């Protein structure tokens, strides 16, 4: 069921041709909060319109903000088509005739009743005076849901697979293919909510290097999950395959302990979390490979288990030279390689730690690929074809996701 068009006004939205012949339009800038490791997006909202910071939840159902501060907010009736679309896959009800939805804060593991509203939301474009302004559906949520979010944050920007995520609403209004791209950074990253061809966004050098893998669909209580899952079939360390319980890698499978299987991508989890047996297997293999490279192990630093002296580590463009981790996807020819910048975390001046954590015996998913492992990698979410494109680390090309932030792109075009 298509969500009905809201009034939509594009202001000066003609695409801008920038350096290297690239064409850009809509962009949501990201920053990383150093205290919480949350990725924060900036959009403009309400009347009077003003910037709002939102924590990014890659698999979140929709956009929600704490109530208040806007005179243009209008509640959506409970029996409207918009309410039906917004509550598909979630609990709902009626409060005084308004559409009652559930807003969730996964960072604080909180949820609460919220009201579905429509209000002005503006997304910037790569020009000093250009923007896209839409009257978008989102949830007006109680302020207690802000607990656990970074200090300046007023809500959560969900980018999940459904009809009311902000990229989906933009695509509907533009009549375009449902597709967005994400480029996380330890400093300034970016979401292109209507990315079109990756070539037009990142240039042919990067876009031609993208590898594609299917985005898997998972049902939870007979309803489609908005989250993003990929088919990891094996894990290798320095080319050696780990001996793993295969049922844990199956999205519909489960381990002996009753936990869930499969691999999920998440911006909520800062570091990749692995089911305990997978974590132990990876850690043992990594330590053995590190010993063969004469890496000296030191005392662990929480939350990590395997830490190494940094003094004699060789540094490369893609971080410290350490054993290579590879996620094998739909075939042996398709792998997501994780180099030192994305596998090792600098915990102090003398040590790096393997940036994976123990997710326990019964996690919801056996592998949750965290934000740190996705930094400085282009991720192209083609929702229309259910395919995910991913680059190798941009650092290998002496590039980074931060160069695609609006400020840096405008500096290049000067």
């Amino acid at each position: 069921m298509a969500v009905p068009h809201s009034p939509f006004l594009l202001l000066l939205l003609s695409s801008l041709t920038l350096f290297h012949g690239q064409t850009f339009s809509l962009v949501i800038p990201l920053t990383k909060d150093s205290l919480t490791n949350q990725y924060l997006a900036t959009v403009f909202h309400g009347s009077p319109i003003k910037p709002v910071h939102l924590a990014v939840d890659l698999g979140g159902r929709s956009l929600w903000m704490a109530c208040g501060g806007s005179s243009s907010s209008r509640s959506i009736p409970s029996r409207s088509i918009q309410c039906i679309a917004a509550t598909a896959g979630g609990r709902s009800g009626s409060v005084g005739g308004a559409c009652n939805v559930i807003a969730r804060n996964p960072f604080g593991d909180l949820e609460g009743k919220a009201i579905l509203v429509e209000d002005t939301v503006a997304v910037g474009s790569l020009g000093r005076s250009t923007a896209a302004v839409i009257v978008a559906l989102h949830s007006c949520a109680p302020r207690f849901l802000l607990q656990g979010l970074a200090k300046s944050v007023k809500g959560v920007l969900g980018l999940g697979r459904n009809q009311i995520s902000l990229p989906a609403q933009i695509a509907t209004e533009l009549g375009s293919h449902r597709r967005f791209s994400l480029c996380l950074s330890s400093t300034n990253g970016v979401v292109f909510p209507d990315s079109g061809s990756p070539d037009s966004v990142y240039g042919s050098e990067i876009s031609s290097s993208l590898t594609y893998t299917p985005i898997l669909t998972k049902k939870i209580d007979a309803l489609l999950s908005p989250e993003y899952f990929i088919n990891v079939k094996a894990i290798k360390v320095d080319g050696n395959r780990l001996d793993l319980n295969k049922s844990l890698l199956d999205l519909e499978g489960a381990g002996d302990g009753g936990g869930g299987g499969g691999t999920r991508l998440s911006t909520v989890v800062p570091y990749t979390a692995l089911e305990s047996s997978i974590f132990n297997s990876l850690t043992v293999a990594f330590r053995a490979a590190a010993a063969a490279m004469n890496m000296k192990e030191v005392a662990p630093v929480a939350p990590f288990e395997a830490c190494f002296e940094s003094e004699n580590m060789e540094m490369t463009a893609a971080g410290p030279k350490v054993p290579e981790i590879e996620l094998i996807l739909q075939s042996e020819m398709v792998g997501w390689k994780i180099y030192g910048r994305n596998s090792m975390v600098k915990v102090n001046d003398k040590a790096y730690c393997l940036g994976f954590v123990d997710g326990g015996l019964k996690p919801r998913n056996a592998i949750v690929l965290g934000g740190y492992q996705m930094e400085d990698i282009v991720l192209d979410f083609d929702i229309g074809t259910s395919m995910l494109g991913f680059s190798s680390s941009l650092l290998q090309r002496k590039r980074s996701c931060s160069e695609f932030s609006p400020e840096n792109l405008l500096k290049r075009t000067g």
Side-chain angles (χ1 to χ4, degrees), residues 4 22 104 175 202 224 234 274 310 333 351 367 380 382 396:
Q22 298 167 341
R104 184 166 185 268
Y202 300 102
L224 293 179
L274 304 173
S310 61
M333 301 299 294
I367 302 173
D380 173 32
D382 191 333
Q396 290 184 302

Side-chain angles (χ1 to χ4, degrees), residues 138-195:
H138 61 90
S139 300
C140 167
R143 298 191 69 84
F144 81 85
L145 287 181
L146 297 177
Q147 296 176 53
L149 298 179
K151 186 175 181 180
S152 63
V153 168
K154 302 302 180 184
V156 170
L157 175 62
L159 300 176
R161 298 173 71 190
N162 57 49
Q163 299 177 57
I164 63 165
S165 68
L166 189 57
Q169 291 191 66
I170 289 173
T172 297
E173 295 295 347
L174 290 177
S176 60
H177 186 70
R178 287 181 61 190
R179 187 176 196 165
F180 73 93
S181 66
L182 175 68
C183 209
L184 299 175
S185 168
S186 60
T187 53
N188 300 311
V190 67
V191 176
F192 289 101
D194 181 50
S195 61

Side-chain angles (χ1 to χ4, degrees), residues 8 10-16 24-26 123-125 130-132 174:
F8 187 89
L10 292 179
L11 301 178
L12 302 175
L13 190 56
S14 56
S15 296
L16 304 175
F24 291 87
S25 53
L26 307 185
V123 176
S125 70
T130 61
L174 290 177

Side-chain angles (χ1 to χ4, degrees), residues 113-291:
K113 290 183 180 180
I115 302 299
L116 185 68
V117 301
E118 62 177 16
D119 202 350
T120 303
V121 175
V123 176
S125 70
L126 293 176
R128 290 178 174 82
S129 62
T130 61
V133 182
I134 78 173
V135 178
L137 294 174
H138 61 90
S139 300
C140 167
R143 298 191 69 84
F144 81 85
L145 287 181
L146 297 177
Q147 296 176 53
L149 298 179
K151 186 175 181 180
S152 63
V153 168
K154 302 302 180 184
V156 170
L157 175 62
L159 300 176
R161 298 173 71 190
N162 57 49
Q163 299 177 57
I164 63 165
S165 68
L166 189 57
Q169 291 191 66
I170 289 173
T172 297
E173 295 295 347
L174 290 177
S176 60
H177 186 70
R178 287 181 61 190
R179 187 176 196 165
F180 73 93
S181 66
L182 175 68
C183 209
L184 299 175
S185 168
S186 60
T187 53
N188 300 311
V190 67
V191 176
F192 289 101
D194 181 50
S195 61
S197 167
D199 187 56
S200 68
V201 174
Y202 300 102
S204 59
E205 178 192 10
I206 291 174
S207 65
S208 63
S209 73
L210 297 185
T211 299
Y212 283 83
T213 191
I215 298 172
L216 304 183
T217 298
K218 182 176 178 63
K219 288 187 176 182
I220 300 175
D221 297 329
L223 300 169
L224 293 179
S225 170
E227 297 177 301
Y228 297 95
F229 303 92
I230 57 175
N231 186 17
V232 173
K233 290 191 169 184
I235 301 175
K236 293 181 178 180
V237 175
D238 264 2
N240 297 311
R241 185 185 290 250
L242 303 184
D243 183 15
L244 303 176
N245 179 348
K246 295 292 182 64
S247 69
L248 288 170
L249 302 179
D250 184 350
L251 184 57
E252 301 303 327
D256 297 334
T263 300
R264 172 167 54 94
L265 278 62
S266 174
T267 54
V268 175
V269 175
Y271 305 104
T272 294
L274 304 173
E275 185 274 340
S276 291
S277 68
I278 298 176
F279 175 79
N280 291 335
S281 182
L282 175 70
T283 303
V284 168
F286 192 90
R287 279 175 164 148

Side-chain angles (χ1 to χ4, degrees), residues 9-75:
L9 176 63
L10 292 179
L11 301 178
L12 302 175
L13 190 56
S14 56
S15 296
L16 304 175
T17 300
L18 298 179
F19 73 101
H20 295 162
Q22 298 167 341
T23 301
F24 291 87
S25 53
L26 307 185
V27 59
I28 300 175
L30 303 179
T31 58
K32 185 175 182 180
D33 181 71
S34 60
L35 294 179
T36 63
N37 288 318
Q38 294 168 12
Y39 301 96
L40 310 184
T42 301
V43 300
F44 296 83
H45 168 256
S47 179
I49 199 162
K50 56 187 177 182
V52 177
H53 303 304
L54 305 166
V56 176
D57 178 7
L58 177 60
R61 287 194 56 80
S62 60
L63 164 64
W64 66 262
M65 288 179 262
C67 296
S70 174
S71 63
S72 54
S73 176
R74 184 182 77 85
S75 63

